[in-house]
C-alpha cells in the first residue's frame, strides 16, 4: 500500500492540464451549413441514447415471455444504467486528454455494438450483456456532445445550442414507449435495438467527415501520452467499483428469482463479498483524494452530495415507473404493446411540461429549493395514487394519477443540476455534473433491481393465494405479456381475476417503494441550500466589470508613465 499515489504530492490533473493552452478562439468556430450538419448529427445520436432508455419499457413484457425471464427485468434496465455509471467519471477525463472526435466516435461505437448484441440476443443473459455494452457507450455521448458544441460555437452561444440538443433529445423519452410498442407488436421487439444501427451509422458517417474543434490544444496521441494519462484516470478505482456492484445486483436477482434461497451460501457469499470489496473501493478512493474516480473534496460538500442524492431519488422514480407502467397496462389491463405505450403518455407529457415551466421560473425567480421540495411532495402523492391501480381502475383515474406523478418528477428534475452548478467553483462544474449523472445512473441500477425483487417476491407469494391452480414458477416463466398472463389460467378462467390481483399487488409494492424514495427526496431537498442563482450571476457580472475597470485604470497609468 505504500506505493499508492497520494494527493500530497499531486494536484488533480496538473501534469497535463497545466501544459495545455486554450484553443477557444473565434477562428476555431463552426458556422453555417457545417454547424447545422454537426448539430443535427449530435442531436440524432443523443436522441437515440435517450430513446434507448424508454423504448424497452413496452417491449419488456414480450421479452420476458419469450425468454421466460421475469426475474431478469431489473437487469434489462440496471445493466444499461450501471454501464453508463461506471464509465461516467472517466469520460470527462478522456475528453480532456485525447482528441474529442476519436473519443466521441469510440463511445458511439460501443453504443452501436451493444444495440447489435441486444438485437441478435438468443438468451436473457446475452441481452443483458448487450445492454451493459450500450450503457458504456452512452456514458460518454452527452459529455462529448456538450464538449463539441462548446468548442464549435463558443461560450456566449452555448446555452442556445445546448437547449436545442437536449430539448430535442428529450423527445426520445416521449417517443420511446410509442415506438417500442409499435415495433414490438407489428414487427419484433428486436427492432427496438436494430433501429439504432442505421440511424446511428448515418450520424457516424456524417461526423467522420466533419472537423471537431477542440476547447484546448492537446498533445499528439502517442504511447508516452497514454502512459502520462493513465494515472489520471483512476483505472484501479474503476476496476474496484465494478465487482461489488455486480455482485450486489446478482445477489438480489438470485434471491428474488427463486433460483437460490436468501440464506443460501451463494446469496450470502455475494452480499458479503460485495460489502468487503465496497470497503476496499472506498479506502482506495479516499487515498487517491482529488485524483480519484469520485473526488473526495467534491463529494464531501453538503450541497453537492445532498443535491446528487436527491437527483438519484428523482431518477429512480422516473426510470422505475416508466419501465413498470407498461407491465400494468399489458399484464393487468390486457392491452397490446402499442396501446400501453400510448397510455403512459400522460405521465411523460406532464413531466416534460413541468420541466419546462420549472426551468423558466427558476431562471426568473432565482430559487430552486421550492421546486425540489414541492416536486418531492407531489411525486410522493402521485406514486401513492398510482399504487392503487387494479384491473378495475377507470380511465379517468389512471390518466389523472399519472399526470400528478409526472408533474412531481418534472418539477424537481432540474433542481439538483442547478444546485450543484451553483455550489462549486466554475472549474469544478464538469466534475460535479459528472458525479450527479454517475449517482443517478448507479442509483437507478440498484433501484430497478430492488423494484424487481419487490415485484417477483410479491407475485410468488400472491399467486398461490389468489389462483391455487397456477404455480409461482409458471407465473415467473410466463413473463408479463397480456396473452402469456391469460394463458396461465387456460381451462380454469375463473381464476383470472386472482392472477390479475397478484400482478396488481406486485406493482403496488413497487410504487410503495417509490413513495419511500419520494419521501427521502423531500427530506434531502431541505439541505440543498436557499440560494438565489440570479445573485450569483449578478455578482459574477459585477466582478467582471470591476476587473475590466481595474484593467483600464492600470492601462491609463502605464500610458501616462
Amino acid at each position: 500500500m505504500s506505493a499508492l499515489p497520494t494527493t500530497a504530492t499531486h494536484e488533480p490533473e496538473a501534469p497535463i492540464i497545466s501544459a495545455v493552452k486554450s484553443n477557444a478562439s473565434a477562428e476555431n468556430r463552426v458556422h453555417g451549413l457545417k454547424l447545422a450538419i454537426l448539430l443535427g448529427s449530435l442531436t440524432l445520436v443523443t436522441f437515440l441514447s435517450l430513446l434507448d432508455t424508454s423504448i424497452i419499457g413496452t417491449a419488456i413484457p414480450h421479452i420476458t415471455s419469450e425468454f421466460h425471464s421475469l426475474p431478469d427485468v431489473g437487469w434489462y434496465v440496471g445493466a444499461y444504467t450501471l454501464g453508463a455509471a461506471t464509465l461516467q467519471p472517466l469520460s470527462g477525463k478522456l475528453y480532456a486528454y485525447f482528441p474529442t472526435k476519436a473519443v466521441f466516435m469510440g463511445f458511439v461505437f460501443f453504443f452501436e455494438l451493444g444495440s447489435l448484441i441486444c438485437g441478435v440476443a438468443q438468451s436473457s443473459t446475452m441481452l443483458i450483456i448487450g445492454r451493459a455494452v450500450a450503457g458504456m457507450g452512452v456514458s460518454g455521448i452527452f459529455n462529448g456532445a456538450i464538449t463539441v458544441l462548446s468548442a464549435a460555437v463558443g461560450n456566449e452561444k452555448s446555452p442556445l445550442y445546448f437547449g436545442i440538443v437536449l430539448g430535442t433529445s428529450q423527445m426520445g423519452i416521449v417517443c420511446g414507449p410509442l415506438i417500442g410498442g409499435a415495433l414490438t407488436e407489428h414487427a419484433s421487439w428486436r427492432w427496438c435495438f436494430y433501429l439504432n444501427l442505421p440511424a446511428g451509422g448515418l450520424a457516424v458517417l456524417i461526423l467522420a467527415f466533419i472537423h471537431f474543434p477542440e476547447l484546448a490544444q492537446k498533445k499528439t496521441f502517442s504511447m508516452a501520452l497514454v502512459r502520462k494519462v493513465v494515472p489520471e484516470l483512476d483505472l484501479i478505482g474503476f476496476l474496484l467499483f465494478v465487482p461489488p456492484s455486480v455482485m450486489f445486483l446478482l445477489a438480489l436477482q438470485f434471491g428474488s428469482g427463486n433460483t437460490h434461497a436468501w440464506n443460501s451460501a451463494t446469496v450470502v457469499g455475494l452480499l458479503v463479498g460485495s460489502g468487503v470489496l465496497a470497503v476496499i473501493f472506498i479506502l482506495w478512493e479516499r487515498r487517491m483524494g482529488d485524483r480519484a474516480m469520485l473526488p473526495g473534496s467534491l463529494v464531501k460538500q453538503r450541497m453537492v452530495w445532498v443535491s446528487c442524492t436527491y437527483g438519484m431519488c428523482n431518477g429512480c422514480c422516473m426510470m422505475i415507473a416508466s419501465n413498470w407502467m407498461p407491465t400494468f397496462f399489458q399484464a393487468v389491463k390486457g392491452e397490446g404493446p402499442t396501446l400501453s405505450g400510448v397510455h403512459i403518455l400522460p405521465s411523460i407529457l406532464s413531466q416534460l411540461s413541468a420541466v419546462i415551466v420549472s426551468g423558466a421560473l427558476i431562471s426568473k425567480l432565482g430559487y430552486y429549493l421550492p421546486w425540489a421540495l414541492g416536486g418531492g411532495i407531489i411525486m410522493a402523492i402521485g406514486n401513492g395514487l398510482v399504487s392503487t391501480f387494479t384491473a378495475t381502475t377507470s380511465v379517468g383515474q389512471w390518466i389523472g394519477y399519472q399526470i400528478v406523478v409526472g408533474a412531481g418528477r418534472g418539477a424537481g428534475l432540474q433542481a439538483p443540476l442547478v444546485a450543484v452548478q451553483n455550489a462549486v467553483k466554475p472549474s469544478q462544474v464538469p466534475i460535479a455534473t459528472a458525479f450527479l449523472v454517475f449517482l443517478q445512473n448507479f442509483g437507478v441500477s440498484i433501484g430497478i433491481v430492488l423494484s424487481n425483487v419487490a415485484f417477483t417476491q410479491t407475485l410468488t407469494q400472491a399467486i398461490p393465494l389468489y389462483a391455487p391452480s397456477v404455480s409461482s414458477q409458471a407465473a415467473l416463466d410466463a413473463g408479463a405479456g397480456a396473452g402469456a398472463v391469460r394463458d396461465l389460467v387456460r381451462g380454469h378462467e375463473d381464476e383470472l381475476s386472482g392472477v390479475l390481483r397478484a400482478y396488481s399487488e406486485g406493482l403496488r409494492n413497487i410504487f410503495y417503494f417509490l413513495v419511500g424514495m419520494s419521501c427521502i427526496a423531500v427530506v434531502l431537498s431541505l439541505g440543498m441550500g436557499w440560494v438565489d442563482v440570479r445573485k450569483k450571476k449578478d455578482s459574477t457580472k459585477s466582478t467582471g466589470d470591476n476587473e475590466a475597470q481595474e484593467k483600464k485604470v492600470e492601462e491609463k497609468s502605464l500610458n501616462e508613465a
Side-chain angles (χ1 to χ4, degrees):
M1 294 294 287
S2 61
L4 297 178
T6 65
T7 56
T9 57
H10 296 278
E11 287 293 323
E13 304 180 355
I16 299 176
I17 295 300
S18 61
V20 174
K21 297 181 179 180
S22 174
N23 199 41
S25 57
E27 60 269 17
N28 212 35
R29 308 282 169 79
V30 180
H31 304 279
L33 180 60
K34 289 184 178 179
L35 177 58
I37 295 174
L38 178 64
L39 185 65
S41 300
L42 293 175
T43 301
L44 176 58
V45 175
T46 52
F47 172 85
L48 291 175
S49 64
L50 278 184
L51 181 71
D52 226 42
T53 63
S54 62
I55 196 173
I56 194 174
T58 45
I60 281 177
H62 273 246
I63 295 173
T64 56
S65 295
E66 180 173 331
F67 289 147
H68 308 295
S69 58
L70 192 58
D72 291 347
V73 168
W75 279 99
Y76 297 156
V77 180
Y80 186 77
T81 53
L82 182 62
T86 53
L87 282 185
Q88 183 66 45
L90 302 182
S91 63
K93 294 184 178 182
L94 292 175
Y95 281 115
Y97 301 140
F98 296 110
T100 302
K101 184 173 184 177
V103 176
F104 184 77
M105 300 285 267
F107 279 114
V108 175
F109 170 78
F110 273 100
F111 175 67
E112 294 285 283
L113 177 62
S115 299
L116 177 62
I117 294 173
C118 291
V120 301
Q122 298 300 309
S123 66
S124 182
T125 301
M126 189 174 177
L127 178 63
I128 292 170
I129 292 173
R131 292 290 285 169
V133 174
M136 293 170 65
V138 167
S139 67
I141 287 178
F142 275 98
N143 286 6
I146 291 175
T147 301
V148 172
L149 284 176
S150 297
V153 301
N155 292 334
E156 67 278 5
K157 294 184 179 180
S158 291
L160 171 63
Y161 289 97
F162 289 169
I164 293 174
V165 172
L166 298 179
T168 306
S169 300
Q170 288 287 325
M171 293 303 295
I173 298 177
V174 178
C175 299
L178 299 174
I179 296 174
L183 291 175
T184 301
E185 188 168 357
H186 301 293
S188 168
W189 61 263
R190 298 179 185 276
W191 276 99
C192 295
F193 305 106
Y194 288 148
L195 177 67
N196 295 328
L197 302 181
L202 176 62
V204 168
L205 182 63
I206 295 173
L207 292 173
F209 295 96
I210 296 179
H211 169 67
F212 277 34
E214 299 284 358
L215 279 173
Q217 295 177 3
K218 298 175 182 177
K219 295 184 178 181
T220 305
F221 180 82
S222 64
M223 291 308 299
L225 177 63
V226 172
R227 286 193 295 271
K228 199 171 185 180
V229 168
V230 166
E232 304 290 337
L233 300 180
D234 189 20
L235 295 179
I236 294 179
F238 167 74
L239 294 175
L240 290 174
F241 170 77
V242 176
S245 304
V246 174
M247 291 172 69
F248 179 69
L249 295 178
L250 280 174
L252 295 178
Q253 183 200 17
F254 288 162
S256 64
N258 287 343
T259 54
H260 296 82
W262 283 106
N263 60 354
S264 66
T266 301
V267 173
V268 173
L270 285 171
L271 290 174
V272 172
S274 174
V276 172
L277 291 176
V279 171
I280 295 174
F281 168 73
I282 293 171
L283 293 175
W284 171 265
E285 293 295 281
R286 182 179 179 182
R287 187 172 182 86
M288 289 293 288
D290 286 337
R291 294 161 61 89
M293 189 174 88
L294 304 176
S297 63
L298 189 71
V299 175
K300 290 177 182 178
Q301 296 183 43
R302 178 181 59 83
M303 286 180 61
V304 172
W305 70 260
V306 167
S307 300
C308 291
T309 309
Y310 177 95
M312 180 190 71
C313 293
N314 192 302
C316 282
C317 290
M318 179 172 61
M319 291 299 298
I320 292 173
S322 66
N323 281 279
W324 282 103
M325 281 304 298
T327 297
F328 166 74
F329 286 109
Q330 293 185 44
V332 179
K333 285 291 191 179
E335 297 172 355
T338 304
L339 196 57
S340 70
V342 173
H343 285 170
I344 67 172
L345 281 179
S347 63
I348 296 175
L349 294 177
S350 66
Q351 176 181 308
L352 288 178
S353 300
V355 168
I356 295 171
V357 172
S358 64
L361 292 178
I362 288 174
S363 299
K364 184 176 181 179
L365 302 177
Y367 295 97
Y368 54 79
L369 190 146
W371 297 97
L373 176 61
I377 293 173
I378 296 172
M379 190 164 58
I381 295 172
N383 283 318
L385 292 173
V386 173
S387 70
T388 65
F389 282 7
T390 65
T392 59
T393 299
S394 68
V395 174
Q397 286 178 311
W398 58 252
I399 289 179
Y401 294 171
Q402 283 191 83
I403 291 175
V404 173
V405 73
R409 294 196 301 252
L413 192 60
Q414 292 195 55
L417 179 59
V418 176
V420 164
Q421 291 183 338
N422 282 274
V424 301
K425 299 176 182 178
S427 60
Q428 293 179 312
V429 167
I431 301 174
T433 303
F435 176 59
L436 170 62
V437 177
F438 161 80
L439 202 59
Q440 284 180 322
N441 284 324
F442 183 63
V444 169
S445 302
I446 302 296
I448 198 74
V449 174
L450 288 174
S451 69
N452 197 63
V453 170
F455 179 81
T456 54
Q457 290 295 289
T458 305
L459 186 65
T460 54
Q461 295 171 12
I463 281 288
L465 183 63
Y466 302 134
S469 65
V470 180
S471 71
S472 299
Q473 191 59 48
L476 294 178
D477 290 340
V485 170
R486 281 143 186 82
D487 285 343
L488 289 171
V489 292
R490 182 174 295 176
H492 38 94
E493 284 76 7
D494 56 307
E495 291 188 350
L496 177 60
S497 60
V499 171
L500 299 184
R501 182 177 178 181
Y503 274 82
S504 296
E505 290 190 0
L507 293 167
R508 176 202 64 190
N509 288 343
I510 289 177
F511 283 93
Y512 281 172
F513 171 64
L514 297 186
V515 169
M517 295 294 289
S518 303
C519 291
I520 293 174
V522 171
V523 175
L524 289 169
S525 68
L526 301 176
M528 291 172 65
W530 185 260
V531 178
D532 188 343
V533 297
R534 297 170 302 173
K535 290 182 179 179
K536 185 162 186 176
K537 292 178 182 178
D538 293 341
S539 63
T540 303
K541 182 178 179 181
S542 299
T543 302
D545 292 341
N546 291 336
E547 291 177 352
Q549 185 65 29
E550 291 174 1
K551 187 175 181 180
K552 288 181 180 179
V553 172
E554 183 180 351
E555 290 176 351
K556 184 177 180 181
S557 300
L558 290 173
N559 291 334
E560 291 176 353

